[in-house]
């Protein structure tokens, strides 16, 4: 009879896999796979090693085990708090790592996830242990959740016991000895020996934090902070709730962040996640985590972090300021404004002692939000209102009625403040009015008044006058508030008030920190606008003197002299810009490898892949790099001739291939394949980023491709140089006269011809059933930069692409290609009609037509259309994000929708309709119906939407829905019957009959089917030329079924013989 413990052992063995006795774990901090088995002490060797260690210890006046234990008393204290949690850094979405992912702010982490070793683990009483299943000294397991027992563990005795990691086991004697030796060696500055003993101690008991901490200190003493950090980081996992340890690790990580700062910041965030997991109210950790996320570019996470801190520190102004900065960077200013509004409401209703946290700086930040939102009138109102409250005049609400000016903040009561009847002079001191308003807020008032229009110009200048721009004394405000001078000057310049702007620009020349390039460019713009050319030139020359490589100032000088009719001076700066641009395009040390690779690609491009194999098989050749220049030129000419011969052969086979000759098609495909392989071997056509344009095959053209922004300035100056040379009559031998034309051919064959070869080759492969090869060839065309940047080429490529997809009946590819047309021709009805037509031509069920990606994309198009047609106020109240405009004009500006697109609304409605979401589809059908109520297709769609909705189980009033559907159906019928086309009349008869048949009303369907047959005879007798649409056979099949099922077989036989027999 089998013993009970054997069954329990098997059950346990299936759940727990115990390690082998000789298993040696490998730890990453050891820097190797672990110690060899031979290095591990056996029982005898361990006793010998222990004896030697004790002898060495006794030589230091330690007598017995008690003394050794006293030597490691600090270790024992540390061990009592340690846990066996040496887990590596894992997924940051794990609640263990970032508790904010799964748990709410106010809730605690589950004790299964986060608990320390010193948790109050309660063992069951001794007398009850024997009654537990699988216990009582035998190996086994208690019942889990699948058992019938009570309590968390399946038994009543376990009810109420705190779950979590068990208390760490008492350290072994081996650990105590090794750690003692490591400590002694560390004190004696024998770091190699201390390192060895510490690692062996960690291997013996890796859950002991003291060993990891000692190893970290050893590495610190050596000066190896990276290894010290790694040791402390691994050891911190044994103390998962020690905030000080994790904080220290985070500080060290940030201190040691070198070139790979990205990884260091993520590791530091991980440490702060662990701190927050222990203490969700740790504000310092949250501040640090938010700052690190912001530095990494995760602005959304930073904003969420600050919002969480606002829950812990309601209405804290420091947190509000950080949140405002992040929201401004994200472009979600309304989000920050909402938080400020809530806090302002709180501070206004709070006691005076609690309201001291909201200061002038907070008013300034809050008012700045209105500048980003461009709602200047409301910004003025809020700024005045809050400033009045802080100044102690919150009860003077009558100032809100004075909106035409800001007399409330004048320095004197006379004359403007006295004109307000409710104003009581002397009730408040002068600091409560104009003298108490900070200059930052006054300047902001002036800027906002300026933005409201010319009507408020005088009031704006009145505010700016407080800056005393004419004061040049040592204590002038220009030295205390240079930023305000710059803001006022920029605002005046943007409004075209150049004279007034110069009043504030010119004093800034005394402040060294504010005289940068943008300052002199702005001031020169003002001088040019008022005709002071000499002063403008002086500004540009100042920039050039301090920055000899500045291109922008020279470009402005060249343009200015060209406008003044001084071509010689302009030509001088044009040449300088071109020369500087070419120097800038010279490859740096970092770019040298890229440039060398591009040069090698150009040199090797003369050898097409297929021809190279043929030549190597015929006799071999030396590597291209070992050839002389003459040999390279000769080889290049040979390959050019070979490619031209292949192209001529291709043209000779073209006609027979198009006629369907199989042998000619096979030969044409072989020749085209060789040509395409040669084209694909040119790396200049396929850069690492296809957005890099093709400028030619020369070294200068390759450098242009590496510096696209600089090349734009050079192109502009080269165009100006051409104009100036024509006016001067000089030959084109200067730096500007270099040939900058981009080649339009390769090996004497135009790029347009190369594209024809690629696309014709793809179509041939598709017709032969090799659809993967066809798609690969089309992808080559889309990736080539010589085609990618030409819109007409991309148009032809995508037309060929969906043609191949139609041949292969590939609905997924059809939808993806059609989306390109909707993206490039946004808000164009034809692009949406093309999407519908392509899906209609594809045989099979419409799975991709109404799939999730297609539905979401079309919905984004609808939202973009609605966004562009609404006013600013409605946009802010309805849309949470900006629309994505994908079509741009020649100047690069997005093209918004000008009117509602019926085709787009109907397309999205039919996608919902195809997914049986009839009630939602009706919403978009009705939007289209409001725009075009006499459109037959819209009325038919509404009718079928109502009728199909009536047939659903969830419909509440079927009769009402059916009647609604038939009202639109007969409106469609009347519109079709008014047409002069017999086909459209027949279509209406057939659709009405089909709808009656759908509802089982066959007696009402028969007359319409019969009318359909009569119109079919008229259509055939009208002798229409070409294909004509005829529903006669469909109607005959329906009548055959109706009469056959009804028992009138004679009528069914007659209609079959007349309409359905050949």
């Amino acid at each position: 009879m089998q013993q009970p413990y054997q069954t329990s052992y098997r059950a346990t063995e299936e759940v727990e896999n115990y390690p082998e006795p000789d298993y040696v774990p490998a730890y990453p901090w050891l820097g190797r796979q672990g110690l060899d088995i031979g290095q591990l002490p056996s029982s005898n060797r361990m006793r010998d090693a222990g004896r030697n260690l004790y002898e060495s210890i006794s030589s230091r006046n330690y007598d017995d085990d008690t003394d050794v234990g006293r030597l490691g008393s600090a270790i024992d204290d540390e061990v009592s708090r340690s846990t066996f949690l040496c887990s590596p850094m894992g997924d940051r979405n794990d609640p263990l790592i970032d508790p904010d992912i799964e748990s709410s702010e106010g809730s605690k982490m589950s004790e299964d996830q986060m608990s320390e070793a010193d948790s109050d683990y309660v063992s069951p009483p001794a007398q009850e242990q024997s009654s537990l299943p699988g216990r009582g000294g035998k190996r086994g397991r208690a019942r889990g959740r699948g058992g019938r027992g009570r309590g968390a563990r399946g038994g009543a005795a376990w009810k109420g016991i705190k779950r979590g990691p068990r208390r760490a086991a008492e350290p072994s004697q081996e650990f105590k000895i090794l750690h003692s030796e490591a400590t002694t060696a560390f004190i004696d500055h024998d770091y190699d020996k201390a390192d060895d003993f510490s690692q062996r101690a960690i291997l013996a008991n890796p859950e002991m934090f003291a060993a990891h901490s000692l190893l970290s200190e050893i590495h610190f003493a050596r000066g190896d902070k990276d290894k010290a950090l790694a040791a402390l980081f691994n050891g911190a996992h044994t103390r998962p709730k020690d905030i000080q340890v994790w904080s220290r690790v985070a500080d060290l990580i940030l201190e040691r962040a070198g070139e790979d700062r990205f990884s260091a910041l993520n590791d530091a965030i991980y440490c702060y996640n662990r701190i927050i997991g222990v203490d969700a109210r740790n504000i310092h950790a949250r501040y640090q985590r938010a700052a690190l996320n912001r530095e990494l570019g995760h602005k959304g996470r930073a904003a969420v972090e600050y919002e969480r801190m606002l829950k812990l520190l309601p209405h804290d102004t420091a947190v509000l300021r950080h949140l405002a900065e992040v929201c401004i960077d994200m472009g979600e200013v309304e989000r920050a404004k909402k938080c400020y509004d809530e806090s302002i409401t709180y501070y206004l209703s709070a006691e005076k002692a609690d309201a001291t946290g909201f200061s002038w700086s907070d008013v300034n930040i809050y008012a700045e939000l209105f500048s980003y939102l461009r709602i200047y009138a409301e910004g003025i109102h809020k700024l005045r209102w809050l400033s009045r409250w802080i100044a102690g005049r919150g009860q003077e609400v009558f100032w809100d009625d004075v909106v035409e000016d800001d007399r409330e903040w004048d320095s004197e009561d006379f004359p403007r403040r006295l004109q307000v009847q409710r104003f009581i002079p002397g009730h408040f001191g002068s600091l409560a009015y104009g003298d108490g308003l900070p200059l930052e807020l006054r300047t902001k008032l002036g800027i906002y008044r300026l933005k409201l229009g010319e009507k408020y110009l005088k009031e704006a200048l009145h505010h700016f006058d407080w800056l005393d721009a004419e004061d040049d004394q040592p204590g002038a405000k220009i030295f205390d508030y240079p930023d305000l001078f710059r803001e006022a000057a920029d605002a005046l310049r943007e409004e075209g008030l150049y004279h007034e702007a110069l009043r504030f620009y010119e004093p800034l020349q005394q402040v060294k920190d504010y005289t940068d390039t943008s300052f002199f460019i702005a001031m020169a713009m003002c001088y040019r606008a008022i005709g002071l050319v000499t002063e403008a030139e002086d500004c540009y020359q100042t920039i050039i003197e301090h920055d000899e490589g500045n291109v922008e100032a020279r470009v402005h000088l060249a343009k200015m002299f060209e406008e003044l009719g001084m071509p010689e001076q302009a030509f001088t700066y044009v040449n300088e810009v071109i020369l500087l641009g070419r120097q800038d395009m010279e490859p740096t040390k970092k770019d040298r490898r890229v440039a060398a690779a591009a040069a090698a690609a150009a040199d090797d491009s003369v050898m097409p892949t297929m021809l190279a194999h043929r030549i190597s098989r015929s006799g071999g050749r030396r590597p291209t790099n070992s050839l002389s220049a003459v040999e390279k030129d000769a080889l290049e000419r040979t390959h050019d001739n070979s490619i031209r011969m292949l192209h001529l052969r291709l043209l000779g086979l073209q006609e027979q291939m198009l006629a369907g000759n199989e042998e000619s098609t096979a030969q044409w495909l072989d020749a085209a394949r060789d040509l395409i392989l040669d084209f694909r071997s040119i790396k200049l056509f396929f850069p690492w980023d296809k957005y890099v344009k093709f400028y030619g095959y020369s070294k200068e053209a390759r450098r242009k491709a590496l510096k696209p922004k600089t090349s734009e300035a050079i192109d502009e100056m080269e165009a100006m140089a051409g104009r100036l040379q024509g006016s001067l009559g000089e030959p084109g031998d200067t730096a500007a006269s270099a040939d900058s034309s981009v080649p339009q051919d390769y090996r004497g064959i135009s790029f347009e011809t190369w594209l024809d070869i690629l696309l014709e080759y793809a179509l041939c492969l598709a017709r032969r059933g090799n659809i993967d090869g066809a798609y690969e060839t089309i992808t080559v065309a889309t990736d080539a930069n010589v085609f990618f940047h030409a819109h007409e080429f991309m148009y032809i490529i995508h037309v060929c692409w969906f043609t191949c997809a139609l041949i292969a009946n590939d609905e997924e590819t059809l939808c993806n290609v059609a989306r390109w047309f909707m993206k490039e021709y946004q808000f164009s009805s034809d692009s949406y009609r093309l999407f519908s037509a392509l899906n209609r031509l594809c045989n099979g069920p419409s799975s991709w037509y109404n799939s999730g990606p297609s539905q979401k994309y079309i919905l984004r198009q609808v939202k973009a259309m609605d966004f562009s047609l609404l006013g600013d106020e409605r946009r802010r109240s309805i849309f949470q994000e900006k629309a994505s405009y994908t079509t741009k004009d020649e100047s690069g500006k997005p093209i918004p929708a000008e009117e509602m697109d019926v085709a787009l609304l109907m397309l999205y409605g039919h996608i919902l309709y195809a997914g049986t979401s009839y009630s939602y589809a009706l919403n978009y059908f009705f939007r289209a119906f409001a725009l075009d109520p006499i459109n037959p297709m819209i009325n038919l769609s509404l009718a079928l939407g109502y009728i199909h909705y009536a047939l659903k189980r969830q419909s509440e009033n079927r009769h009402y829905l059916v009647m609604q559907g038939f009202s639109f159906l007969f409106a469609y019928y009347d519109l079709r019957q008014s047409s002069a086309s017999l086909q459209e009349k027949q279509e209406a008869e057939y659709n009405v009959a089909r709808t009656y048949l759908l509802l089982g009303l066959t007696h009402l369907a028969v007359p319409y089917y019969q009318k359909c047959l009569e119109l079919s005879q008229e259509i055939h007798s009208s002798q229409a030329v070409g294909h004509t649409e005829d529903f006669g056979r469909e109607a005959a099949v329906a009548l055959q079924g109706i009469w056959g099922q009804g028992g009138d077989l004679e009528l069914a036989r007659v209609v079959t013989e007349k309409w359905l027999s050949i």
Side-chain angles (χ1 to χ4, degrees):
M1 182 176 179
Q2 192 177 28
Q3 299 296 326
Y5 75 90
Q6 292 177 339
T7 304
S8 299
Y9 175 75
R10 286 199 186 96
T12 305
E13 193 174 35
E14 292 176 0
V15 179
E16 296 184 3
N17 295 321
Y18 290 95
E20 297 294 333
D22 296 331
Y23 170 72
V24 182
Y27 298 98
W29 57 82
L30 292 177
R32 55 183 182 269
Q33 295 300 319
L35 299 176
D36 295 335
I37 299 299
Q39 295 176 344
L40 293 176
S42 62
S43 58
N44 295 329
R45 292 166 61 192
M46 189 63 218
R47 283 193 295 271
D48 297 336
R51 187 180 305 111
N52 295 333
L53 287 172
Y54 277 111
E55 290 174 358
S56 63
I57 292 172
S58 62
S59 66
R60 294 184 177 92
N61 300 323
Y62 293 106
D63 299 329
D64 51 18
D65 293 347
T66 305
D67 293 325
V68 175
R70 188 166 57 250
L71 180 66
S73 60
I75 308 171
D76 297 333
D77 294 337
E78 199 65 61
V79 164
S80 65
R81 297 192 301 270
S82 301
T83 59
F84 192 73
L85 284 176
C86 294
S87 59
M89 183 171 62
D91 185 5
R92 289 179 172 80
N93 291 329
D94 194 324
L96 264 175
I97 298 173
D98 189 352
D100 291 322
I101 297 297
E102 296 292 339
S103 63
S104 62
E105 291 293 331
S107 63
K108 297 181 179 179
M109 293 297 296
S110 65
E111 295 173 355
D112 285 319
Q113 295 175 342
M114 301 293 290
S115 60
E116 280 194 301
D118 56 353
S119 60
D120 298 330
Y121 182 86
V122 181
S123 301
Q127 63 271 19
E128 295 181 3
Q129 288 187 9
S130 59
S131 63
L132 295 176
R135 301 291 177 181
K138 309 295 184 181
R139 294 194 62 178
R141 293 178 65 89
R143 288 179 181 265
R145 294 183 180 179
R148 295 174 179 265
R150 296 166 57 194
R153 293 286 183 181
W158 290 91
K159 186 173 182 180
I161 295 177
K162 185 176 181 181
R163 300 176 63 185
R166 298 182 181 180
R167 186 187 300 275
E170 187 74 13
S172 62
Q173 195 69 22
E174 175 190 3
F175 175 85
K176 293 181 179 180
I177 296 171
L178 292 172
H179 192 273
S180 298
E181 280 295 312
T183 304
T184 304
F186 177 69
I187 294 173
D188 295 340
H189 302 286
D190 189 353
Y191 299 130
D192 293 336
K193 185 177 180 181
D195 187 357
D196 180 62
F197 279 113
S198 295
Q199 294 199 32
R200 292 173 63 184
I202 291 173
L203 185 63
N205 285 88
E207 72 274 15
M208 299 302 161
F209 174 74
H212 296 278
S213 179
L214 177 59
L215 182 60
S216 176
E217 294 297 334
I218 293 169
H219 289 309
F220 268 119
R222 285 173 165 176
D224 193 344
K225 292 187 178 181
D226 290 334
K227 288 186 177 179
L229 176 61
L232 190 61
F233 183 82
N234 287 307
H237 289 85
T238 66
R239 301 284 300 278
K241 288 193 174 183
D242 194 326
I243 293 177
Q244 292 182 352
V245 171
W246 286 110
S247 180
R248 183 185 177 193
V249 172
D251 292 340
L252 288 174
I253 289 173
L254 295 176
E255 179 184 341
R256 295 296 298 163
E259 294 183 357
D260 191 9
R261 186 168 177 81
F262 178 82
S263 299
L265 293 180
N266 279 301
D267 292 341
I269 289 175
Y270 170 80
C271 296
Y272 288 120
N273 288 342
R274 300 301 295 254
I275 294 174
I276 295 171
V278 177
D279 181 10
R281 304 183 67 86
N282 193 307
I283 299 300
H284 173 73
R286 289 193 177 275
Y287 260 121
Q288 294 297 325
R289 187 167 72 171
L292 296 179
N293 275 318
R294 188 177 178 185
E295 185 176 350
L296 285 171
H298 303 155
K299 299 174 184 176
R301 296 181 185 177
V304 171
E305 192 69 68
Y306 288 129
E307 289 173 341
R308 287 171 178 161
M309 280 191 278
L310 282 177
K311 295 179 181 179
L312 300 174
L313 302 173
H315 315 297
D316 185 86
T317 54
V319 180
L320 284 171
R321 294 171 191 174
H322 288 294
L323 178 62
E325 293 175 1
V326 175
C327 290
I328 288 173
D329 293 340
M330 296 169 57
E332 299 181 7
V333 184
E334 191 68 39
R335 182 175 176 181
K337 180 179 174 294
K338 182 179 179 182
C339 294
Y340 261 101
D341 289 337
E342 294 174 357
S343 296
I344 290 171
T345 303
Y346 163 77
Y347 283 116
L348 290 175
S349 61
E351 296 292 336
K352 189 172 183 180
D354 297 332
T356 56
F358 202 84
S359 63
W360 290 111
S361 298
D362 300 297
V363 177
N364 190 28
I365 296 173
Y366 179 63
E368 186 70 19
L369 300 179
F370 293 93
S371 174
Y372 287 98
L373 294 172
R374 298 186 178 183
I375 44 179
Y376 303 107
E378 184 179 353
I380 292 173
H381 169 71
K382 296 289 187 180
L383 191 154
R384 291 168 49 182
W385 171 51
L386 289 173
S387 300
R388 188 186 314 130
W389 170 67
I390 291 182
R393 298 186 294 106
Q395 63 270 33
E396 291 189 351
V397 295
F398 56 85
W399 291 113
D400 293 335
D401 299 332
V402 183
V403 296
E404 65 275 5
D405 56 42
D406 303 316
R407 66 183 67 186
E408 173 188 3
W409 300 104
D410 288 350
S411 59
E412 302 292 340
D413 294 342
F414 180 83
R416 297 201 301 178
R417 267 206 300 266
L418 292 175
Q419 297 174 3
V420 179
Q421 296 180 357
R422 299 175 61 184
F423 170 66
I424 303 175
H427 188 66
F428 295 98
S430 61
L431 291 178
Y433 293 99
D435 294 339
L437 184 66
L439 275 178
E440 292 85 353
L441 297 179
R442 186 175 291 280
T443 304
K444 204 171 284 334
L445 275 176
I447 294 173
Y448 289 2
R449 287 291 181 184
L450 197 62
K451 296 294 183 181
L452 290 178
E454 189 177 356
K455 175 182 177 182
Y456 300 98
L457 173 61
K458 183 179 179 181
E459 189 68 22
L461 294 176
H462 172 70
H463 287 298
F464 293 153
D465 286 341
W466 280 73
L467 294 174
D468 291 335
E470 288 75 18
D471 186 6
D472 57 355
Q473 299 301 318
K477 294 177 182 177
I478 180 61
F479 301 105
D480 295 328
Y481 304 98
D483 55 326
L484 302 184
F485 277 75
R486 182 64 187 271
E487 291 179 11
D490 289 341
L492 290 167
R493 176 179 55 83
E494 291 172 1
E495 297 299 322
L497 303 172
Y498 302 108
H499 282 285
E500 290 77 5
L502 286 171
R503 284 183 56 208
F504 300 94
Y505 275 131
E506 289 175 345
L508 277 171
Q509 298 179 76
Q510 305 175 60
V511 184
K512 187 175 181 180
D513 294 338
Y514 283 80
T515 53
D516 55 2
T517 300
S518 63
F519 165 74
F520 283 107
I521 291 289
M523 192 162 63
M525 184 184 300
C526 295
Y527 282 132
R528 285 179 59 186
I530 62 178
L532 299 178
V533 179
T534 304
E535 287 77 0
E537 183 181 1
D538 290 341
C539 291
Y540 293 132
Q541 292 294 350
T542 303
I543 298 173
I544 295 172
E545 289 176 5
H546 291 82
D547 184 6
E548 295 180 357
N550 188 279
V551 174
E552 185 180 5
R554 290 179 169 86
V555 170
H556 283 292
L557 278 171
K559 292 180 178 179
M560 184 178 72
F561 284 124
E562 185 185 24
E563 293 173 359
L564 295 173
M566 304 169 67
E568 294 180 357
Q569 291 86 338
F571 198 72
T572 301
Y573 291 107
V574 166
N575 278 327
E576 291 183 8
V577 170
I578 294 175
L579 290 174
L580 287 172
R582 290 177 180 175
Q583 292 175 7
D584 184 51
M585 288 189 296
E586 289 290 340
T588 61
K589 291 182 179 180
K590 292 183 179 180
D591 298 331
R592 195 157 293 164
R593 292 178 61 189
V594 179
D603 292 338
D604 295 340
S605 65
V606 297
M607 188 63 185
T609 306
M610 182 63 70
L611 295 178
H613 291 313
R614 292 177 180 175
I615 292 175
S616 63
R617 287 198 300 267
S618 63
R621 65 179 181 89
R622 285 182 293 165
T624 305
N625 294 334
S626 65
L627 298 177
S628 64
V630 177
E631 290 174 325
K632 286 183 179 181
D633 292 339
L635 185 60
E636 184 176 356
R637 287 194 297 271
T638 302
H639 291 308
D640 283 342
N641 294 331
S642 300
I643 293 300
R644 292 192 183 97
M645 292 298 295
L646 276 175
H647 181 237
L648 290 175
R649 184 185 178 194
L650 197 76
L651 295 177
L653 297 169
Q654 184 91 12
E655 185 176 353
Q656 296 181 8
M657 183 271 296
L658 294 175
N661 186 292
E662 191 64 28
E663 182 179 356
S664 299
T665 301
Q667 295 178 5
W668 187 94
L669 287 173
D670 289 338
R673 185 183 303 110
D674 289 347
L675 288 172
I676 293 172
L677 286 173
D678 175 68
F679 184 85
R680 294 182 66 175
S681 67
I682 308 304
K683 294 183 179 179
L684 287 175
F685 297 158
F686 304 94
W688 61 276
D689 187 351
K690 62 184 177 182
Y691 290 95
V692 176
K693 292 185 178 181
F694 172 74
Y695 287 98
Y697 306 101
S698 64
K699 293 182 179 179
E700 181 182 350
R702 291 195 295 272
R703 288 195 292 266
K704 257 190 177 184
L706 292 175
K707 303 285 185 179
K709 292 184 178 180
T710 306
S711 67
E712 293 177 2
I714 294 179
D715 291 341
E716 184 181 4
M717 291 295 99
E718 287 176 346
M720 184 184 295
R723 297 193 302 269
L724 295 173
Q725 285 176 354
S727 62
L728 293 172
E730 294 183 358
D733 57 353
T734 61
S737 62
D739 183 16
S740 61
S741 60
V742 179
Q744 298 299 319
D745 64 275
Y746 168 62
R747 298 196 186 278
I749 303 173
S750 66
F751 289 136
E752 185 176 359
T753 304
W754 280 106
L755 181 61
D756 291 341
I757 295 172
L758 285 164
L759 299 184
E760 193 64 51
Y761 183 75
L763 289 171
C764 287
L765 292 180
R767 286 192 291 266
R768 286 172 164 256
N770 186 4
I771 192 62
D772 292 334
Y775 288 162
E776 181 182 358
T777 305
I778 295 174
T779 303
V780 171
T782 57
D783 291 343
N785 57 1
V786 293
F787 303 135
F788 180 79
H789 296 281
H791 192 269
E792 60 277 9
F793 286 162
M794 293 299 292
Y795 180 88
I796 297 172
I797 290 171
H798 283 83
V799 170
C800 177
W801 205 336
F802 73 65
T803 304
C804 293
L806 284 173
I807 294 173
N809 202 33
D810 186 356
E811 186 186 6
E812 179 182 1
T813 303
L814 281 175
C815 290
N816 292 333
V817 175
R819 285 175 61 171
W820 181 87
F821 286 94
M822 291 188 287
K823 179 175 71 72
E824 293 296 322
Y825 301 94
Q826 193 178 26
F827 309 129
S828 175
S829 299
D830 289 339
S831 63
Y832 305 122
R833 293 192 181 103
L834 178 65
F835 180 84
S836 300
L838 291 177
N839 281 275
R840 176 66 182 84
L841 293 173
C842 185
N843 297 323
S846 58
S847 57
W848 285 94
Y849 173 73
N850 60 330
S851 64
S854 297
Q855 180 177 343
K856 292 177 182 177
Y857 181 81
I858 301 299
L859 179 59
R860 287 198 298 269
Q861 298 289 307
V862 175
K863 288 182 177 180
M865 178 182 65
D866 293 341
F867 182 88
S868 62
L869 295 176
L870 289 176
D872 292 338
E873 296 295 333
R874 295 289 303 281
R875 288 176 184 172
R876 284 194 293 269
S877 62
I878 297 176
F879 292 94
Q880 300 297 324
E881 57 185 8
K882 295 182 179 180
S884 55
Y885 299 134
T886 58
T887 306
K888 299 181 180 179
D889 56 15
E890 296 178 354
S891 62
K893 295 181 180 179
I895 302 176
E898 297 180 355
E899 59 182 1
M900 286 284 181
D901 196 321
V902 176
L904 175 58
L905 295 172
M906 290 298 294
L907 172 59
Y908 188 64
H910 282 119
I911 289 176
L912 295 173
Y913 178 91
T916 69
S917 299
Y918 304 115
S919 59
Y920 297 107
L922 287 172
N923 293 328
Y924 292 91
F925 290 156
F926 270 116
R927 288 185 63 181
F929 179 79
L931 298 172
D932 191 2
I934 60 173
N935 189 306
M937 188 63 208
I938 297 176
N939 283 273
L940 179 61
S941 300
L942 282 167
L944 295 179
Y946 270 115
I947 290 174
H948 281 284
Y949 186 32
L951 298 178
K952 293 190 71 171
R953 179 175 55 84
Q954 297 91 340
S955 59
E956 296 180 356
N957 193 336
R958 296 173 188 263
H959 182 267
Y960 166 77
L961 295 173
V962 170
M963 295 305 296
Q964 283 285 94
F966 271 104
S967 65
F968 285 105
L969 181 65
F970 283 109
Y972 153 79
Y973 181 83
D974 294 339
L975 291 170
R976 282 303 194 201
Q977 290 299 320
S978 61
S979 173
S981 173
L982 293 175
Q983 286 85 358
E984 292 183 357
K985 292 181 178 180
Q986 186 192 38
E987 172 202 307
E989 301 288 349
Y990 179 80
N991 283 333
V992 173
R994 182 69 184 85
T995 305
Y996 278 129
L997 184 61
L998 174 68
L999 297 174
L1001 304 175
T1002 55
H1003 64 290
L1004 297 177
V1006 169
Y1008 290 96
Y1009 279 132
Q1010 291 175 334
K1011 181 64 175 178
C1012 188
L1013 294 177
E1014 295 174 4
L1015 289 172
S1016 177
Q1017 293 177 344
E1018 295 182 22
I1019 291 172
H1020 288 288
S1021 62
S1022 63
Q1023 298 180 354
V1025 179
H1027 173 73
T1028 57
E1029 190 176 38
D1030 183 17
F1031 294 95
R1033 290 188 177 180
E1034 288 82 355
V1037 170
L1039 287 173
Q1040 180 193 56
I1042 292 171
W1043 286 330
Q1045 291 179 356
D1048 199 340
L1049 299 179
E1050 181 61 26
L1051 286 176
R1053 183 184 61 79
V1054 171
V1055 74
T1056 302
E1057 292 177 352
K1058 182 176 181 180
W1059 293 96
L1060 303 176
S1061 60
I1062 301 177

